[in-house]
Amino acid sequence: MFKPFSLISLCFVGLILSTQVTAQWHQKSFEVMGTQAHVEFWLSEAEKNTESNEKQTADNLIIAVEQEMHRIDRLMSPYKADSELSKINQLAGKEAVVINQELFDLLLDSHKIAELTNGTFDITYASIGYQYDYRQGQKPAKPEINQALEAIDYRAVTLDKSQSSVRFKNQDVRIDLGGIAKGHAVKQCLAILQAAGIKHALVSAGGDTGLLGDRRGRPWFVGIKHPRAAEKTAVQLPLANESISTSGDYERYFIEDGVRYHHIINPKTGDSARKVVSVSIIGKDSTYVDALSTAVFVKGLQQGMTLINQLPEYEAIIIDNQQTLHVSEGLQQD
């Protein structure tokens, strides 16, 4: 059981947003990347931007954020046949594929995080992941999983920095950036707002949320969904200048013969990871917290906490299979 701590008050929901609206607060929710995204910011700070001769209006900024999310989706979606990620999956098993520098850099980050987590974050999980259909309640048979396991290995993705190219060592390898792309998108959108002079903002995409500053003298309150009660909260967090990502087994799943099959795949088994039910990671870099939440979910409570406690820039909140909440050392009160 967790110790008392001052940072977190017990509750728990996907995202808590203040309902207070003034003329200076601007916000919009929209659908992208298979989930709901949200942007909210205080505009008057943009007027202090002396580096620009033209002040961007709230509508312009919202459009810029929305367009950026859709741009990244078009680039990195495995479900769009014309995306660059789909091109990689089609060709990289046969030849080196020169790709967009942004995508190449994200693949480099994915490789670094795979090494950091000893492969519990591994974008090649898609080599079997694509055979799951959670809407239709379909899963691959055991022989198919066993065959695909040979292709699940982040080291099978060869990245050539001199050419910005990617090649797979095995033609059965596929990659999916679902565990890192939304965090990257949040980071990119925050950069757009910050460049426009915004100093108080929130951008979210599904379980990934990034924050600029506080909410004008008060913290932003971000929560995490209760994993077994959709309308309830388990933890509510007052945060500022942080990013948080939550991975849970309740977003895309089906239950068959009492077993929950969900989208967070253990790369070592090709099956859904089931050691915990929810993991939230807090840190400055939304790209890394996105990937680390997946990695820690796969590792489970003990190994996951051990990893996070060794990373001073990150904190973790984990709910285990008994729905007991645990927090990393930095969130505990002495």
Side-chain angles (χ1 to χ4, degrees):
M1 195 63 182
F2 62 93
K3 296 180 181 180
F5 50 97
S6 58
L7 178 62
I8 301 170
S9 59
L10 298 183
C11 292
F12 209 89
V13 67
L15 178 63
I16 304 296
L17 296 174
S18 170
T19 57
Q20 180 181 359
V21 178
T22 72
Q24 301 299 327
W25 282 108
H26 300 269
Q27 58 184 295
K28 183 180 180 181
S29 296
F30 54 94
E31 296 293 323
V32 67
M33 303 179 81
T35 191
Q36 185 176 69
H38 183 86
V39 56
E40 180 174 353
F41 56 87
W42 177 262
L43 181 61
S44 64
E45 297 292 347
E47 298 173 353
K48 299 177 182 179
N49 185 354
T50 60
E51 297 180 358
S52 174
N53 294 325
E54 298 182 7
K55 174 187 159 226
Q56 289 184 290
T57 65
D59 285 346
N60 287 337
L61 285 172
I62 289 172
I63 289 170
V65 166
E66 192 168 0
Q67 288 180 339
E68 181 70 355
M69 288 270 191
H70 283 288
R71 181 192 68 80
I72 292 171
D73 189 32
R74 289 192 299 271
L75 178 67
M76 302 183 184
S77 172
Y79 305 108
K80 299 182 187 300
D82 59 349
S83 73
E84 195 151 7
L85 184 70
S86 292
K87 177 184 175 182
I88 292 171
N89 282 332
Q90 292 164 7
L91 300 177
K94 306 171 186 176
E95 60 189 43
V97 180
V98 177
I99 60 173
N100 173 286
Q101 187 63 47
E102 177 186 6
L103 179 54
F104 184 84
D105 289 343
L106 195 59
L107 293 183
L108 282 177
D109 282 341
S110 298
H111 184 84
K112 293 175 184 176
I113 297 169
E115 290 186 324
L116 175 68
T117 63
N118 292 321
T120 52
F121 177 80
D122 189 336
I123 60 176
T124 66
Y125 84 90
S127 304
I128 189 61
Y130 80 97
Q131 296 190 46
Y132 286 86
D133 188 329
Y134 303 99
R135 292 183 178 179
Q136 299 298 322
Q138 297 176 351
K139 67 182 189 301
K142 188 65 175 176
E144 295 170 325
I145 292 177
N146 290 338
Q147 182 177 355
L149 285 177
E150 297 180 9
I152 301 177
D153 185 350
Y154 67 92
R155 291 161 294 194
V157 179
T158 301
L159 300 171
D160 185 340
K161 293 183 180 180
S162 65
Q163 300 294 324
S164 292
S165 68
V166 56
R167 182 164 188 171
F168 299 156
K169 295 181 180 178
N170 185 324
Q171 289 195 26
D172 294 326
V173 172
R174 293 192 183 198
I175 61 174
D176 189 321
L177 297 173
I180 195 170
K182 286 191 288 294
H184 171 72
V186 167
K187 184 176 181 178
Q188 292 291 103
C189 291
L190 288 176
I192 289 173
L193 295 175
Q194 192 168 31
I198 299 297
K199 296 181 180 175
H200 306 280
L202 176 151
V203 176
S204 68
D208 294 277
T209 300
L211 306 169
L212 284 179
D214 60 8
R215 206 173 193 279
R216 301 194 71 239
R218 296 178 297 148
W220 294 94
F221 282 93
V222 180
I224 308 162
K225 286 182 180 179
H226 192 294
R228 294 297 180 264
E231 302 304 319
K232 294 183 179 179
T233 11
V235 174
Q236 184 175 318
L237 305 169
L239 298 174
N241 271 323
E242 295 280 2
S243 293
I244 179 171
S245 177
T246 298
S247 294
D249 67 358
Y250 47 80
E251 294 295 339
R252 286 186 288 151
Y253 74 96
F254 64 90
I255 296 175
E256 182 178 296
D257 298 329
V259 178
R260 181 180 293 251
Y261 296 90
H262 60 87
H263 71 291
I264 306 174
I265 303 297
N266 184 337
K268 307 299 183 185
T269 66
D271 190 10
S272 299
R274 300 190 181 90
K275 294 181 180 180
V276 296
V277 297
S278 176
V279 170
S280 296
I281 303 296
I282 304 166
K284 299 294 184 184
D285 190 319
S286 59
T287 302
Y288 269 68
V289 298
D290 189 7
L292 285 173
S293 69
T294 299
V296 171
F297 192 103
V298 173
K299 283 183 177 294
L301 178 59
Q302 281 75 31
Q303 291 184 17
M305 280 299 189
T306 297
L307 171 66
I308 294 301
N309 286 332
Q310 293 172 349
L311 302 175
E313 296 181 353
Y314 299 95
E315 301 295 344
I317 301 167
I318 301 176
I319 299 181
D320 64 22
N321 290 321
Q322 288 71 48
Q323 298 186 43
T324 301
L325 187 148
H326 308 260
V327 300
S328 55
E329 292 174 354
L331 296 179
Q332 298 177 22
Q333 188 179 62
D334 293 333

